[in-house]
Amino acid sequence: MATVLASFDAGETPERVALRDAVRALLAGLAAKVPGRSVEVRVPPYGAIQCVEGPRHTRGTPPNVVEMDPETWVRLATGSLSWDEAITQGRLRISGNRADISNYIPI
């Protein structure tokens, strides 16, 4: 995780495997912290999870989605970027009234 953040801070692209592993580990951490199936968090191309208790969907695109690039996710999940900053900078694509997961991050 630290090497991925250091790469971002240096303006470099982290190694693909390290970035993938960091994204997946942080997604797994969120799923464990906030189990449920009412919000889908997507970080293409590395992963997606469902979390947050509440109504769940069974087919098609879920009504509550949070999608972002890998750098944004790593920074949000580790606390080096706030939810409000990410929104202000246009780094999040969110839909649905339950999609605000700011209370659950950083992990």
XYZ file of all heavy atoms in Angstrom:
808
model
N 0.817 -1.182 0.000
C 0.000 0.000 0.000
C 0.864 1.250 0.000
O 0.594 2.179 -0.754
C -0.886 -0.028 1.244
C -2.168 0.641 1.104
S -3.409 -0.262 0.170
C -3.470 -1.821 0.973
N 1.855 1.246 0.873
C 2.719 2.424 0.995
C 3.470 2.703 -0.301
O 3.642 3.867 -0.682
C 3.695 2.239 2.151
N 3.916 1.656 -0.987
C 4.652 1.879 -2.237
C 3.735 2.431 -3.325
O 4.161 3.252 -4.133
C 5.326 0.581 -2.739
O 4.337 -0.425 -2.916
C 6.377 0.098 -1.784
N 2.488 2.014 -3.329
C 1.526 2.526 -4.301
C 1.277 4.008 -4.033
O 1.317 4.834 -4.947
C 0.205 1.717 -4.259
C -0.879 2.392 -5.071
C 0.443 0.297 -4.754
N 1.040 4.364 -2.785
C 0.829 5.771 -2.442
C 2.063 6.609 -2.738
O 1.953 7.728 -3.238
C 0.436 5.911 -0.973
C -1.005 5.577 -0.642
C -1.215 5.540 0.869
C -1.960 6.557 -1.288
N 3.244 6.072 -2.443
C 4.484 6.802 -2.728
C 4.635 7.049 -4.220
O 5.077 8.130 -4.634
C 5.687 6.031 -2.175
N 4.272 6.081 -5.029
C 4.321 6.265 -6.484
C 3.386 7.384 -6.924
O 3.771 8.257 -7.699
C 3.950 4.971 -7.212
O 4.913 3.982 -7.004
N 2.157 7.361 -6.418
C 1.210 8.420 -6.765
C 1.736 9.786 -6.333
O 1.674 10.757 -7.086
C -0.156 8.176 -6.109
C -0.949 7.059 -6.716
C -1.705 6.221 -5.914
C -0.970 6.841 -8.085
C -2.467 5.197 -6.454
C -1.728 5.820 -8.643
C -2.477 4.999 -7.826
N 2.254 9.857 -5.111
C 2.762 11.126 -4.588
C 3.938 11.648 -5.397
O 4.135 12.855 -5.500
C 3.149 10.984 -3.115
C 1.925 10.802 -2.212
O 0.798 11.120 -2.649
O 2.107 10.338 -1.074
N 4.713 10.747 -5.982
C 5.860 11.133 -6.804
C 5.450 11.426 -8.251
O 6.295 11.749 -9.081
C 6.921 10.037 -6.775
N 4.155 11.302 -8.544
C 3.686 11.546 -9.901
C 3.983 10.406 -10.856
O 3.959 10.579 -12.073
N 4.244 9.237 -10.299
C 4.568 8.060 -11.099
C 3.387 7.092 -11.112
O 2.506 7.154 -10.260
C 5.791 7.351 -10.511
C 7.029 8.227 -10.467
C 8.150 7.609 -9.653
O 7.951 6.527 -9.050
O 9.223 8.222 -9.609
N 3.404 6.191 -12.049
C 2.406 5.131 -12.113
C 2.953 3.927 -11.356
O 4.039 3.439 -11.677
C 2.122 4.739 -13.573
O 1.668 5.904 -14.271
C 1.074 3.649 -13.654
N 2.219 3.434 -10.353
C 2.700 2.254 -9.619
C 2.691 1.017 -10.513
O 2.016 0.989 -11.546
C 1.703 2.099 -8.480
C 0.586 3.018 -8.749
C 0.962 3.927 -9.866
N 3.429 0.012 -10.088
C 3.409 -1.256 -10.811
C 1.978 -1.788 -10.834
O 1.252 -1.716 -9.849
C 4.313 -2.277 -10.130
C 5.778 -1.956 -10.243
C 6.638 -3.061 -9.639
O 6.182 -4.226 -9.592
O 7.745 -2.741 -9.224
N 1.595 -2.320 -11.971
C 0.216 -2.773 -12.168
C -0.218 -3.802 -11.119
O -1.312 -3.711 -10.563
C 0.067 -3.351 -13.575
C -1.334 -3.774 -13.925
C -1.445 -4.172 -15.397
N -2.720 -4.736 -15.717
C -3.815 -4.034 -15.975
N -3.788 -2.728 -15.959
N -4.960 -4.634 -16.265
N 0.624 -4.758 -10.836
C 0.267 -5.811 -9.870
C 0.114 -5.217 -8.473
O -0.821 -5.558 -7.744
C 1.309 -6.951 -9.890
C 1.078 -7.927 -8.762
C 1.282 -7.660 -11.233
N 0.996 -4.306 -8.102
C 0.913 -3.676 -6.779
C -0.368 -2.857 -6.661
O -1.052 -2.899 -5.627
C 2.134 -2.801 -6.531
N -0.706 -2.128 -7.713
C -1.929 -1.331 -7.700
C -3.158 -2.230 -7.632
O -4.073 -1.994 -6.833
C -1.988 -0.431 -8.935
C -3.219 0.461 -9.061
C -3.395 1.353 -7.840
C -3.128 1.287 -10.341
N -3.184 -3.265 -8.433
C -4.302 -4.211 -8.412
C -4.478 -4.816 -7.019
O -5.586 -4.865 -6.486
C -4.066 -5.330 -9.428
C -5.196 -6.354 -9.478
C -4.762 -7.656 -10.088
N -3.787 -8.295 -9.207
C -2.880 -9.186 -9.611
N -2.814 -9.548 -10.865
N -2.032 -9.713 -8.746
N -3.384 -5.249 -6.427
C -3.462 -5.868 -5.105
C -3.931 -4.881 -4.042
O -4.717 -5.234 -3.159
C -2.116 -6.472 -4.721
C -1.753 -7.683 -5.565
O -2.618 -8.206 -6.304
O -0.573 -8.111 -5.492
N -3.468 -3.638 -4.135
C -3.889 -2.617 -3.179
C -5.381 -2.336 -3.315
O -6.113 -2.275 -2.319
C -3.079 -1.335 -3.378
N -5.847 -2.171 -4.537
C -7.271 -1.913 -4.777
C -8.111 -3.057 -4.236
O -9.093 -2.840 -3.507
C -7.544 -1.691 -6.282
C -9.032 -1.776 -6.590
C -6.974 -0.364 -6.747
N -7.743 -4.267 -4.549
C -8.537 -5.429 -4.110
C -8.522 -5.598 -2.598
O -9.545 -5.935 -1.992
C -8.042 -6.687 -4.811
C -8.417 -6.691 -6.280
C -7.935 -7.924 -6.998
N -8.337 -7.897 -8.405
C -7.929 -8.770 -9.298
N -7.128 -9.776 -8.944
N -8.330 -8.659 -10.550
N -7.374 -5.372 -1.978
C -7.293 -5.488 -0.516
C -8.165 -4.433 0.161
O -8.865 -4.728 1.140
C -5.840 -5.353 -0.062
N -8.151 -3.228 -0.360
C -8.957 -2.164 0.231
C -10.449 -2.387 -0.016
O -11.279 -2.109 0.860
C -8.505 -0.807 -0.297
C -7.117 -0.386 0.201
C -6.575 0.779 -0.620
C -7.154 -0.044 1.682
N -10.806 -2.914 -1.179
C -12.205 -3.272 -1.424
C -12.659 -4.369 -0.464
O -13.758 -4.300 0.093
C -12.407 -3.720 -2.875
C -12.423 -2.630 -3.939
C -12.409 -3.253 -5.336
C -13.611 -1.703 -3.772
N -11.809 -5.364 -0.264
C -12.146 -6.446 0.673
C -12.300 -5.888 2.085
O -13.184 -6.319 2.840
C -11.075 -7.531 0.634
N -11.455 -4.941 2.445
C -11.554 -4.306 3.754
C -12.882 -3.581 3.933
O -13.516 -3.652 4.991
N -13.323 -2.889 2.893
C -14.609 -2.195 2.957
C -15.755 -3.194 3.075
O -16.664 -3.008 3.881
C -14.810 -1.302 1.730
C -16.134 -0.548 1.671
C -16.265 0.431 2.847
C -16.257 0.180 0.341
N -15.709 -4.263 2.296
C -16.761 -5.284 2.351
C -16.837 -5.925 3.729
O -17.932 -6.226 4.224
C -16.531 -6.344 1.275
N -15.684 -6.120 4.367
C -15.674 -6.712 5.709
C -16.164 -5.717 6.759
O -16.852 -6.087 7.707
C -14.255 -7.178 6.051
N -15.828 -4.455 6.570
C -16.199 -3.417 7.526
C -17.689 -3.091 7.474
O -18.309 -2.816 8.494
C -15.382 -2.156 7.235
C -15.618 -0.996 8.170
C -14.697 0.166 7.803
C -14.849 1.319 8.765
N -13.917 2.414 8.423
N -18.254 -3.111 6.254
C -19.642 -2.710 6.051
C -20.350 -3.756 5.190
O -20.633 -3.531 4.017
C -19.720 -1.331 5.355
C -21.136 -0.799 5.406
C -18.752 -0.340 5.947
N -20.620 -4.935 5.759
C -21.248 -5.983 4.955
C -22.652 -5.586 4.505
O -23.340 -4.826 5.177
C -21.283 -7.180 5.898
C -21.155 -6.622 7.266
C -20.430 -5.323 7.142
N -23.024 -6.104 3.378
C -24.349 -5.860 2.837
C -24.318 -5.928 1.329
O -23.296 -6.255 0.724
N -25.463 -5.590 0.722
C -25.554 -5.697 -0.739
C -26.323 -4.540 -1.364
O -26.829 -4.667 -2.459
C -26.221 -7.015 -1.097
C -25.401 -8.202 -0.556
C -25.808 -9.448 -1.171
N -25.510 -9.333 -2.603
C -25.272 -10.341 -3.391
N -25.298 -11.542 -2.910
N -25.027 -10.175 -4.661
N -26.410 -3.406 -0.675
C -27.227 -2.329 -1.229
C -26.435 -1.308 -2.041
O -27.020 -0.528 -2.785
C -28.010 -1.612 -0.124
O -27.158 -0.868 0.694
N -25.102 -1.286 -1.910
C -24.259 -0.354 -2.667
C -23.164 -1.153 -3.364
O -22.533 -2.011 -2.750
C -23.615 0.704 -1.743
C -22.688 1.626 -2.527
C -24.674 1.509 -1.006
N -22.961 -0.846 -4.625
C -21.862 -1.477 -5.354
C -20.759 -0.449 -5.535
O -20.999 0.649 -6.016
C -22.330 -1.989 -6.710
C -21.247 -2.787 -7.423
C -21.801 -3.593 -8.567
O -22.539 -4.568 -8.299
O -21.494 -3.250 -9.719
N -19.551 -0.809 -5.116
C -18.374 0.045 -5.278
C -17.534 -0.566 -6.382
O -17.110 -1.719 -6.276
C -17.566 0.160 -3.964
C -16.331 1.033 -4.168
C -18.440 0.710 -2.847
N -17.303 0.209 -7.437
C -16.575 -0.280 -8.612
C -15.279 0.500 -8.795
O -15.282 1.729 -8.756
C -17.414 -0.087 -9.870
C -18.724 -0.824 -9.870
C -19.527 -0.462 -11.088
N -20.812 -1.164 -11.112
C -21.782 -0.873 -11.938
N -21.648 0.106 -12.834
N -22.904 -1.558 -11.896
N -14.208 -0.245 -9.014
C -12.903 0.344 -9.300
C -12.327 -0.392 -10.509
O -11.514 -1.298 -10.383
C -11.956 0.237 -8.083
C -10.651 0.971 -8.366
C -12.617 0.786 -6.826
N -12.810 -0.014 -11.700
C -12.327 -0.700 -12.893
C -10.863 -0.355 -13.169
O -10.444 0.754 -12.881
C -13.230 -0.176 -14.006
C -13.986 0.978 -13.453
C -13.797 1.000 -11.982
N -10.092 -1.298 -13.658
C -10.464 -2.639 -14.077
C -10.206 -3.696 -13.011
O -10.226 -4.881 -13.306
C -9.525 -2.875 -15.265
C -8.256 -2.201 -14.850
C -8.716 -0.969 -14.088
N -9.989 -3.275 -11.764
C -9.495 -4.208 -10.754
C -10.536 -4.892 -9.884
O -10.265 -5.943 -9.333
C -8.464 -3.523 -9.868
C -7.273 -3.058 -10.643
C -6.945 -1.719 -10.707
C -6.492 -3.955 -11.359
C -5.848 -1.295 -11.438
C -5.398 -3.532 -12.096
C -5.083 -2.203 -12.133
O -4.006 -1.777 -12.860
N -11.696 -4.313 -9.712
C -12.648 -5.004 -8.867
C -13.897 -4.214 -8.562
O -13.995 -3.022 -8.861
N -14.833 -4.909 -7.958
C -16.087 -4.323 -7.504
C -16.596 -5.170 -6.351
O -16.393 -6.389 -6.335
C -17.109 -4.297 -8.630
N -17.206 -4.513 -5.398
C -17.795 -5.229 -4.264
C -19.168 -4.642 -3.976
O -19.493 -3.545 -4.408
C -16.914 -5.150 -2.992
C -16.618 -3.685 -2.594
C -15.641 -5.914 -3.162
C -17.236 -3.301 -1.314
N -19.940 -5.397 -3.220
C -21.195 -4.883 -2.695
C -21.050 -4.754 -1.197
O -20.395 -5.589 -0.553
C -22.343 -5.805 -3.070
C -22.602 -5.787 -4.557
C -23.750 -6.686 -4.958
O -24.291 -7.428 -4.155
N -24.123 -6.617 -6.221
N -21.627 -3.692 -0.657
C -21.516 -3.436 0.775
C -22.732 -2.641 1.243
O -23.589 -2.298 0.438
C -20.221 -2.679 1.079
S -20.060 -1.093 0.242
N -22.821 -2.366 2.487
C -23.841 -1.572 3.169
C -25.162 -2.349 3.243
O -25.716 -2.755 2.227
C -24.072 -0.189 2.499
C -25.094 0.615 3.302
C -22.777 0.597 2.347
N -25.614 -2.508 4.466
C -26.899 -3.188 4.674
C -28.038 -2.390 4.077
O -27.962 -1.169 3.976
C -27.138 -3.387 6.168
C -26.285 -4.456 6.776
C -26.666 -4.740 8.212
O -27.802 -4.439 8.614
O -25.810 -5.272 8.919
N -29.083 -3.077 3.711
C -30.261 -2.429 3.147
C -30.811 -3.246 2.010
O -30.402 -4.391 1.799
N -31.709 -2.654 1.251
C -32.305 -3.394 0.141
C -31.253 -3.811 -0.871
O -30.348 -3.042 -1.175
C -33.295 -2.411 -0.486
C -33.157 -1.137 0.243
C -32.180 -1.303 1.337
N -31.347 -5.021 -1.327
C -30.359 -5.496 -2.295
C -31.010 -5.655 -3.659
O -32.219 -5.816 -3.775
C -29.722 -6.797 -1.843
C -30.632 -7.980 -1.854
C -29.926 -9.207 -1.303
N -30.671 -10.382 -1.722
C -30.144 -11.391 -2.359
N -28.874 -11.410 -2.636
N -30.877 -12.410 -2.707
N -30.174 -5.604 -4.666
C -30.685 -5.813 -6.022
C -30.333 -7.232 -6.454
O -29.421 -7.841 -5.917
C -30.070 -4.791 -6.984
C -28.640 -5.077 -7.299
N -27.619 -4.780 -6.424
C -28.058 -5.663 -8.362
C -26.473 -5.165 -6.950
N -26.703 -5.699 -8.119
N -31.073 -7.747 -7.411
C -30.804 -9.113 -7.853
C -30.478 -9.208 -9.338
O -29.902 -10.188 -9.764
C -32.013 -10.034 -7.561
O -33.171 -9.472 -8.158
C -32.207 -10.192 -6.068
N -30.845 -8.185 -10.124
C -30.575 -8.248 -11.565
C -30.226 -6.873 -12.100
O -30.733 -5.868 -11.635
C -31.808 -8.764 -12.315
C -32.129 -10.193 -11.969
C -33.329 -10.676 -12.694
N -33.183 -10.446 -14.128
C -34.033 -10.831 -15.024
N -35.115 -11.462 -14.663
N -33.842 -10.603 -16.294
N -29.360 -6.854 -13.076
C -29.047 -5.601 -13.749
C -28.168 -4.683 -12.925
O -27.559 -5.081 -11.937
N -28.125 -3.436 -13.334
C -27.310 -2.442 -12.637
C -27.968 -2.090 -11.316
O -29.150 -1.770 -11.264
C -27.182 -1.174 -13.499
O -26.571 -1.527 -14.734
C -26.343 -0.123 -12.802
N -27.196 -2.126 -10.237
C -27.769 -1.796 -8.940
C -28.144 -0.308 -8.869
O -27.556 0.516 -9.560
C -26.642 -2.125 -7.958
C -25.415 -2.190 -8.759
C -25.799 -2.510 -10.165
N -29.112 0.032 -8.031
C -29.547 1.427 -7.936
C -28.542 2.337 -7.236
O -28.586 3.547 -7.404
C -30.854 1.343 -7.157
C -30.767 0.078 -6.395
C -29.919 -0.850 -7.216
N -27.651 1.787 -6.434
C -26.681 2.575 -5.682
C -25.278 2.150 -6.085
O -24.833 1.054 -5.738
C -26.880 2.355 -4.181
C -28.270 2.752 -3.738
O -28.609 3.913 -3.741
N -29.088 1.763 -3.404
N -24.603 3.025 -6.824
C -23.280 2.696 -7.360
C -22.312 3.829 -7.074
O -22.649 5.003 -7.207
C -23.347 2.458 -8.888
C -21.958 2.211 -9.466
C -24.264 1.300 -9.218
N -21.103 3.440 -6.682
C -19.991 4.376 -6.538
C -18.884 3.835 -7.437
O -18.481 2.677 -7.289
C -19.476 4.452 -5.086
C -18.341 5.451 -4.969
C -20.595 4.779 -4.123
N -18.422 4.640 -8.372
C -17.380 4.187 -9.289
C -16.271 5.228 -9.343
O -16.542 6.427 -9.341
C -17.951 3.953 -10.683
C -16.955 3.335 -11.631
C -17.580 2.876 -12.934
O -18.796 2.635 -12.984
O -16.824 2.736 -13.907
N -15.042 4.745 -9.392
C -13.895 5.643 -9.443
C -12.695 4.926 -10.020
O -12.695 3.705 -10.141
C -13.579 6.180 -8.055
C -13.011 5.126 -7.097
S -13.357 5.450 -5.388
C -14.992 4.769 -5.205
N -11.666 5.688 -10.350
C -10.424 5.107 -10.855
C -9.620 4.555 -9.671
O -9.878 4.894 -8.512
C -9.618 6.161 -11.627
C -9.202 7.308 -10.736
O -8.136 7.214 -10.104
O -9.954 8.299 -10.648
N -8.631 3.705 -9.962
C -7.849 3.079 -8.889
C -7.133 4.068 -7.976
O -7.106 3.882 -6.756
C -6.852 2.197 -9.644
C -7.548 1.865 -10.922
C -8.319 3.109 -11.268
N -6.553 5.130 -8.526
C -5.849 6.087 -7.662
C -6.810 6.733 -6.672
O -6.497 6.857 -5.480
C -5.151 7.166 -8.478
C -4.429 8.172 -7.583
C -3.666 9.252 -8.317
O -3.639 9.257 -9.567
O -3.083 10.111 -7.634
N -7.964 7.137 -7.151
C -8.947 7.756 -6.260
C -9.332 6.798 -5.147
O -9.389 7.182 -3.977
C -10.186 8.204 -7.054
O -9.780 9.168 -8.030
C -11.251 8.802 -6.153
N -9.579 5.539 -5.479
C -9.972 4.559 -4.461
C -8.880 4.365 -3.418
O -9.148 4.378 -2.215
C -10.354 3.227 -5.089
C -10.567 2.158 -4.060
C -9.876 0.997 -3.941
C -11.504 2.182 -2.983
N -10.336 0.289 -2.858
C -11.335 0.998 -2.248
C -12.460 3.087 -2.565
C -12.088 0.698 -1.122
C -13.219 2.778 -1.429
C -13.038 1.601 -0.734
N -7.653 4.179 -3.851
C -6.560 3.972 -2.894
C -6.426 5.190 -1.987
O -6.274 5.060 -0.772
C -5.235 3.654 -3.628
C -4.058 3.675 -2.670
C -5.331 2.298 -4.330
N -6.506 6.364 -2.566
C -6.381 7.582 -1.753
C -7.562 7.743 -0.789
O -7.372 8.099 0.381
C -6.238 8.798 -2.645
C -4.884 8.859 -3.344
C -4.690 10.188 -4.050
N -3.419 10.304 -4.699
C -2.268 10.579 -4.097
N -2.235 10.751 -2.790
N -1.139 10.684 -4.781
N -8.774 7.485 -1.239
C -9.937 7.564 -0.353
C -9.840 6.545 0.783
O -10.042 6.874 1.949
C -11.230 7.298 -1.130
C -11.855 8.432 -1.899
C -13.008 7.909 -2.746
C -12.333 9.536 -0.983
N -9.557 5.308 0.412
C -9.565 4.215 1.386
C -8.452 4.334 2.422
O -8.576 3.804 3.519
C -9.467 2.874 0.668
N -7.379 5.044 2.080
C -6.274 5.210 3.022
C -6.309 6.556 3.729
O -5.465 6.828 4.582
C -4.912 5.055 2.317
O -4.804 6.040 1.284
C -4.738 3.655 1.758
N -7.251 7.400 3.358
C -7.392 8.684 4.032
C -6.544 9.811 3.467
O -6.506 10.894 4.039
N -5.882 9.589 2.349
C -5.082 10.671 1.772
C -5.899 11.568 0.847
O -5.385 12.542 0.307
C -3.837 10.124 1.063
O -4.180 9.362 -0.055
N -7.175 11.253 0.677
C -8.123 12.076 -0.079
C -9.465 11.959 0.621
O -9.889 10.855 0.969
C -8.239 11.563 -1.527
C -9.240 12.253 -2.448
C -8.785 13.676 -2.772
C -9.419 11.461 -3.738
N -10.109 13.083 0.850
C -11.424 13.031 1.512
C -12.526 12.845 0.478
O -12.351 13.151 -0.704
C -11.671 14.313 2.307
O -11.989 15.383 1.436
N -13.656 12.376 0.936
C -14.832 12.197 0.089
C -15.207 13.531 -0.553
O -15.464 13.598 -1.751
C -15.974 11.655 0.940
C -17.222 11.357 0.194
C -18.316 12.180 0.081
C -17.539 10.179 -0.548
N -19.288 11.567 -0.678
C -18.832 10.335 -1.066
C -16.855 8.999 -0.804
C -19.461 9.365 -1.841
C -17.476 8.021 -1.571
C -18.762 8.219 -2.079
N -15.240 14.587 0.251
C -15.617 15.899 -0.275
C -14.644 16.389 -1.344
O -15.066 16.953 -2.355
C -15.722 16.924 0.856
C -16.910 16.655 1.774
O -17.869 15.990 1.346
O -16.865 17.122 2.931
N -13.350 16.161 -1.127
C -12.363 16.548 -2.145
C -12.584 15.767 -3.437
O -12.520 16.327 -4.529
C -10.937 16.281 -1.644
C -10.469 17.209 -0.561
C -9.142 16.768 0.034
O -8.937 15.553 0.262
O -8.296 17.658 0.272
N -12.829 14.477 -3.301
C -13.049 13.636 -4.485
C -14.278 14.101 -5.263
O -14.260 14.137 -6.495
C -13.180 12.170 -4.081
N -15.324 14.479 -4.555
C -16.534 14.971 -5.224
C -16.241 16.307 -5.906
O -16.595 16.500 -7.073
C -17.693 15.103 -4.213
C -18.069 13.730 -3.724
C -18.844 15.902 -4.793
C -19.504 13.412 -3.565
N -15.608 17.207 -5.186
C -15.293 18.533 -5.736
C -14.421 18.420 -6.978
O -14.599 19.168 -7.944
C -14.587 19.397 -4.671
O -15.456 19.538 -3.552
C -14.235 20.768 -5.204
N -13.488 17.479 -6.969
C -12.571 17.291 -8.094
C -13.189 16.459 -9.224
O -12.546 16.230 -10.244
C -11.281 16.627 -7.615
C -10.487 17.486 -6.653
C -9.330 16.736 -6.017
O -8.966 15.628 -6.422
N -8.736 17.332 -4.995
N -14.414 15.994 -9.046
C -15.080 15.196 -10.081
C -14.483 13.820 -10.258
O -14.561 13.229 -11.339
N -13.936 13.254 -9.185
C -13.271 11.959 -9.274
C -14.189 10.781 -8.979
O -13.786 9.633 -9.103
C -12.073 11.940 -8.329
C -11.035 12.990 -8.722
C -9.900 13.055 -7.754
N -9.018 11.912 -7.962
C -7.779 11.864 -7.504
N -7.264 12.860 -6.832
N -7.044 10.790 -7.725
N -15.430 11.043 -8.569
C -16.386 9.990 -8.244
C -17.578 10.057 -9.179
O -18.034 11.139 -9.533
C -16.904 10.150 -6.813
C -15.899 10.041 -5.687
C -16.575 10.370 -4.363
C -15.304 8.658 -5.638
N -18.087 8.903 -9.525
C -19.349 8.794 -10.237
C -20.281 8.040 -9.289
O -20.034 6.873 -8.986
C -19.163 8.049 -11.562
C -18.371 8.875 -12.571
C -17.933 8.096 -13.788
N -17.056 6.956 -13.566
C -15.766 7.026 -13.207
N -15.197 8.175 -12.985
N -15.051 5.935 -13.064
N -21.286 8.732 -8.795
C -22.174 8.121 -7.812
C -23.622 8.233 -8.276
O -24.003 9.175 -8.946
C -22.014 8.755 -6.409
C -22.241 10.266 -6.451
C -20.655 8.448 -5.840
C -22.181 10.933 -5.099
N -24.382 7.215 -7.932
C -25.810 7.231 -8.228
C -26.540 6.517 -7.108
O -26.020 5.576 -6.514
C -26.100 6.564 -9.572
O -25.774 5.195 -9.523
N -27.716 6.981 -6.820
C -28.541 6.351 -5.789
C -28.453 7.092 -4.472
O -27.436 7.704 -4.145
N -29.524 7.014 -3.716
C -29.592 7.755 -2.461
C -28.791 7.108 -1.332
O -28.613 7.720 -0.289
C -31.047 7.973 -2.041
C -31.798 6.692 -1.818
O -31.287 5.604 -2.063
N -33.036 6.807 -1.365
N -28.281 5.915 -1.521
C -27.485 5.248 -0.487
C -25.999 5.196 -0.856
O -25.206 4.569 -0.174
C -28.006 3.826 -0.264
C -29.451 3.775 0.171
C -29.937 2.354 0.318
N -29.213 1.611 1.324
C -29.491 1.615 2.630
N -30.496 2.334 3.065
N -28.792 0.909 3.472
N -25.625 5.866 -1.935
C -24.272 5.733 -2.477
C -23.207 6.521 -1.720
O -22.018 6.379 -2.013
C -24.257 6.123 -3.949
N -23.590 7.333 -0.763
C -22.594 8.081 0.018
C -21.979 7.134 1.046
O -22.597 6.815 2.065
C -23.250 9.274 0.705
C -22.262 10.109 1.495
O -21.115 9.670 1.734
O -22.642 11.223 1.894
N -20.763 6.678 0.774
C -20.084 5.758 1.697
C -19.017 6.482 2.518
O -18.139 5.853 3.096
C -19.464 4.564 0.928
C -18.470 5.036 -0.129
C -20.571 3.690 0.326
C -17.629 3.921 -0.726
N -19.109 7.795 2.584
C -18.075 8.585 3.266
C -17.937 8.237 4.744
O -16.851 8.392 5.315
C -18.351 10.081 3.112
O -19.600 10.439 3.663
N -18.988 7.743 5.374
C -18.889 7.363 6.784
C -18.049 6.106 7.012
O -17.705 5.803 8.145
C -20.287 7.137 7.373
C -21.064 8.410 7.520
O -20.490 9.486 7.653
N -22.372 8.303 7.475
N -17.753 5.379 5.954
C -17.048 4.096 6.080
C -15.592 4.157 5.646
O -14.912 3.133 5.671
C -17.787 3.030 5.285
C -19.266 3.000 5.559
C -20.177 3.230 4.550
C -19.746 2.781 6.840
C -21.542 3.226 4.791
C -21.106 2.774 7.104
C -21.992 2.994 6.076
O -23.343 2.994 6.339
N -15.152 5.309 5.184
C -13.767 5.450 4.754
C -13.108 6.577 5.531
O -13.792 7.504 5.958
C -13.669 5.689 3.229
C -14.558 6.844 2.805
C -13.973 4.444 2.455
C -14.439 7.209 1.361
N -11.830 6.539 5.792
C -10.902 5.504 5.342
C -11.162 4.160 6.009
O -11.811 4.081 7.031
C -9.527 6.050 5.724
C -9.764 7.077 6.781
C -11.164 7.580 6.583
N -10.609 3.136 5.391
C -10.802 1.755 5.861
C -9.992 1.555 7.143
O -8.878 1.879 7.245
C -10.336 0.734 4.799
C -11.005 0.973 3.460
C -10.554 -0.703 5.273
C -12.485 0.827 3.418
